[in-house]
């Protein structure tokens, strides 16, 4: 089964907790703090596996979680950092943030890899909180939570040349004639249900990859038929071979077919029609094909899309195939790669910017209790060691410094009101 789009959830590892510990050695009174830091949580890294050609594996596994870092130890020992979780995908996989539909990364080469979710740093042990006023601090940090994301993987086949056209115009037959690929060929529409790839090798040592894309029909860009599902695979092609049936056996008008397919391509992405396009007049071994081709050429000047040239072929008799292959190869030499029309997500650097969001928000539940929410304040709480009083006092000072006390007071909070952060509740004291 060919799978080219799937949604998965990923979660990086949490950092290990720092600990509260003190030196206890014979003849060393008041040894001081010795709590070590936690280890770094594992990142979730996506990397290319050249042996994969489908996203089928992700149909059966939709959640990926990296390991957490180990907690710190006594004698200032740092906990072990977790190994990164490496998830392999095929060449040509684009990874989107499913929440805002922005591109996170595009993995197109065999050595490409990218950290899609960053592991949390380890919490600091109490050795870091010693001061002149507090030489024996009972303060440590829990590990930072790892990033969690809902992402969408899309596979766009890496082909130099894309074959497009209405169903049954001869795309699969052409692919089988010029490559060693063995696509399914039959006398009915939508024989091709998934993209087929083939490699064309020339006598001079050059080669290029051809993709036979499932047949488009009118309305494909709006979701009709199979075309919309596979239109994304045209995005990476540099040259388009637009196959048009000249035989007339289907009862369609060649120039009308040509216009409809180009319209669907432009509806999907305006930039696609900027690529060089060769019209491949197919089934020229049929009786009426030559007359239909001459009529087709007369009308080409009346439309907006002017192909590089029109090349008649017959995949059955192999007439015109050598000329088509050499012309396509020469055109590829002159054509650079086209950038995809995507806005890349700059937030993949994972640097927190206070201007991006509010530090906290205040709301009330059905019982009248106050609720504090927001990524920054929730992360701050998650990294607070609630088992030690000094850590909780430090957290209270941090809230005051962020303006939480003033904001609650302004919102109407009074002494004795209950305030919640995640699953923790405390009493507000003005």
């Amino acid at each position: 089964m060919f799978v080219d789009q799937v949604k998965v959830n990923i979660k990086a590892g949490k950092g290990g907790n720092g600990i509260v510990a003190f030196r206890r050695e014979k003849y060393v009174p008041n040894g001081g703090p010795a709590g070590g830091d936690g280890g770094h949580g594992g990142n979730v890294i996506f990397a290319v596996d050249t042996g994969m050609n489908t996203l089928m594996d992700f149909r059966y596994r939709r959640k990926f979680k990296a390991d957490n870092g180990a907690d710190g130890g006594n004698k200032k020992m740092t906990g072990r950092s977790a190994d990164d979780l490496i998830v392999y995908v095929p060449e040509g996989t684009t990874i989107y943030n499913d929440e805002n539909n922005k591109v996170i990364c595009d993995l197109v080469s065999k050595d490409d890899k990218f950290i899609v979710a960053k592991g949390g740093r380890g919490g600091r042990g109490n050795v870091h909180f010693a001061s002149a006023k507090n030489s024996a601090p009972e303060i440590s940090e829990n590990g930072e939570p790892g990033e969690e994301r809902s992402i969408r993987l899309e596979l766009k086949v890496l082909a130099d040349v894309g074959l497009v056209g209405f169903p049954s115009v001869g795309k699969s037959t052409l692919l089988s004639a010029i490559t060693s690929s063995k696509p399914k060929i039959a006398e009915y529409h939508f024989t091709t249900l998934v993209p087929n790839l083939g490699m064309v090798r020339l006598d001079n040592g050059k080669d290029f990859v051809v993709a036979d894309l499932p047949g488009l029909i009118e309305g494909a860009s709006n979701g009709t038929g199979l075309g919309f599902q596979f239109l994304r695979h045209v995005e990476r092609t540099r040259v388009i071979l637009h196959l048009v049936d000249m035989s007339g056996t289907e009862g369609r008008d060649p120039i009308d077919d040509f216009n409809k397919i180009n319209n669907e391509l432009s509806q999907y992405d305006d930039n696609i029609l900027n690529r060089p396009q060769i019209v491949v007049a197919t089934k020229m071994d049929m009786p009426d094909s030559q007359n239909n081709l001459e009529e087709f050429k007369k009308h080409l000047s009346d439309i907006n899309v002017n192909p590089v040239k029109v090349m008649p072929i017959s995949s059955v008799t192999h007439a015109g195939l050598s000329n088509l292959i050499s012309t396509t190869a020469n055109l590829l030499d002159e054509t650079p790669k086209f950038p995809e029309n995507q806005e890349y997500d700059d937030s993949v650097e994972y640097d927190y910017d206070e201007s991006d969001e509010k530090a906290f928000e205040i709301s009330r539940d059905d019982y009248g209790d106050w609720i504090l929410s927001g990524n920054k304040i929730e992360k701050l709480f998650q990294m607070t060691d609630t088992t030690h009083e000094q850590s909780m006092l430090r957290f209270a000072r941090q809230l005051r410094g962020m303006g939480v006390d003033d904001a609650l007071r302004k919102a109407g909070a009074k002494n004795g009101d209950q305030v919640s952060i995640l699953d923790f509740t405390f009493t507000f004291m003005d």
Side-chain angles (χ1 to χ4, degrees):
M1 182 182 295
F2 181 84
V3 177
D4 65 347
Q5 186 173 5
V6 69
K7 294 180 181 179
V8 297
N9 294 313
I10 59 173
K11 186 175 183 179
K14 171 184 171 293
N17 298 332
I19 69 165
V20 173
F22 298 91
R23 287 181 62 190
R24 287 181 174 85
E25 299 179 25
K26 194 175 182 180
Y27 310 121
V28 185
N30 304 322
D37 302 340
H40 199 286
N43 301 316
V44 180
I45 299 175
F46 279 74
V48 168
D49 180 355
T50 55
M52 296 176 67
N53 55 18
T54 176
L55 298 174
M56 183 67 185
D57 292 348
F58 296 92
R59 290 287 294 270
Y60 306 104
R61 184 181 177 190
R62 296 294 183 92
K63 295 183 178 180
F64 296 85
K65 184 181 182 301
D67 292 334
N68 298 332
D71 295 343
N74 202 350
K75 299 182 181 179
K76 304 179 183 179
M77 290 189 295
T78 301
R80 180 181 179 276
S81 292
D83 293 331
D84 294 333
L85 173 64
I86 300 179
V87 182
Y88 290 101
V89 294
E91 290 177 282
T93 299
T94 303
I95 301 178
Y96 294 83
N97 184 330
D98 197 46
E99 295 179 0
N100 55 25
N101 204 39
K102 289 187 176 180
V103 175
I104 296 175
C105 63
D106 200 13
L107 305 176
V108 296
S109 303
K110 66 176 183 178
D111 296 323
D112 284 356
K113 61 173 61 176
F114 196 85
I115 299 175
V116 180
K118 191 175 182 180
R121 66 173 177 84
R124 292 177 292 175
N126 69 330
V127 68
H128 293 280
F129 298 96
S131 65
K133 292 183 179 180
N134 188 1
S135 59
E138 293 187 0
I139 302 174
S140 65
E141 289 179 334
N142 291 335
E144 181 185 22
E147 291 185 322
E148 188 171 3
R149 287 189 166 197
S150 176
I151 61 174
R152 186 175 78 255
L153 310 180
E154 287 191 3
L155 175 61
K156 302 171 185 177
V157 296
L158 295 174
D160 302 301
V161 178
L163 306 182
V164 301
F166 268 85
S168 298
V169 295
K171 297 187 298 297
S172 297
T173 306
L174 174 60
L175 186 70
S176 66
I178 62 177
T179 74
S180 58
S181 178
K182 303 298 180 185
K184 182 179 180 180
I185 301 172
E187 291 295 329
Y188 56 85
H189 288 184
F190 300 112
T191 310
T192 305
L193 298 178
V194 301
N196 292 310
L197 293 177
M199 176 74 74
V200 177
R201 291 185 172 86
L202 285 74
D203 294 336
N204 59 6
K206 293 183 180 180
D207 55 38
F208 57 86
V209 179
V210 181
D212 163 23
L213 304 178
L216 304 178
I217 61 174
E218 189 174 11
S221 59
N222 295 319
T224 305
L226 295 175
F228 178 76
Q229 185 177 357
F230 299 109
L231 270 170
R232 72 177 66 91
H233 297 295
V234 185
E235 293 181 28
R236 297 197 195 278
T237 59
R238 291 187 287 148
V239 172
I240 294 175
L241 297 187
H242 190 155
L243 276 66
V244 181
D245 182 1
M246 293 295 167
S247 67
T249 55
E250 293 283 335
R252 297 196 306 262
D253 177 30
I255 198 70
D256 188 46
D257 285 0
F258 181 72
N259 287 333
K260 285 179 179 178
I261 294 298
N262 281 323
N263 181 60
E264 296 307 320
L265 293 175
S266 64
Q267 290 288 334
Y268 178 76
D269 184 352
D270 288 338
N271 294 323
I272 290 180
L273 293 187
N274 294 331
R275 293 149 208 242
Q277 185 176 139
I278 297 175
V279 171
V280 182
T282 64
K283 304 183 183 181
M284 292 304 296
D285 52 300
M286 301 298 286
D288 297 328
S289 296
Q290 189 59 46
N291 292 335
N292 293 335
L293 175 59
E294 296 302 323
E295 191 68 22
F296 176 84
K297 289 180 177 179
K298 290 179 183 178
H299 290 87
L300 269 182
S301 58
D302 299 333
I303 60 180
N304 294 328
V305 181
N306 291 315
V308 174
K309 59 172 58 180
V310 179
M311 305 193 69
I313 67 159
S314 169
S315 298
V316 176
T317 65
H318 287 202
L321 293 188
S322 296
N323 192 21
L324 175 63
I325 291 172
S326 60
T327 301
T328 304
N330 293 334
L331 195 55
L332 282 170
D333 290 340
E334 305 168 2
T335 307
K337 291 184 178 180
F338 290 85
E340 292 189 47
N341 187 24
Q342 298 288 352
E343 293 183 8
Y344 281 79
D345 184 2
D346 294 331
S347 66
V348 294
E349 297 296 332
Y350 305 108
D351 292 330
Y352 180 77
D353 183 352
E354 293 188 18
S355 64
D356 290 345
E357 56 182 325
K358 295 180 180 179
F360 62 90
E361 293 183 355
I362 298 175
S363 59
R364 301 192 79 170
D365 62 15
D366 296 337
Y367 302 99
D369 294 336
W370 301 95
I371 299 174
L372 296 175
S373 60
N375 289 335
K376 185 176 182 180
I377 197 170
E378 289 175 1
K379 181 182 289 187
L380 192 65
F381 171 73
Q382 289 172 320
M383 296 184 68
T384 298
D385 181 2
T386 58
T387 61
H388 288 90
E389 183 180 359
Q390 288 188 24
S391 291
M392 291 303 296
L393 290 173
R394 176 174 178 262
F395 178 61
R397 291 193 299 271
Q398 289 172 321
L399 293 186
R400 190 176 299 114
M402 292 170 63
V404 174
D405 288 8
D406 292 338
L408 283 169
R409 197 176 296 113
K410 187 176 180 180
K414 297 179 175 59
N415 280 347
D417 286 356
Q418 300 296 301
V419 182
S420 297
I421 301 178
L422 297 176
D423 58 352
F424 181 80
T425 302
F426 62 91
T427 302
F428 177 71
M429 301 297 293
D430 194 353

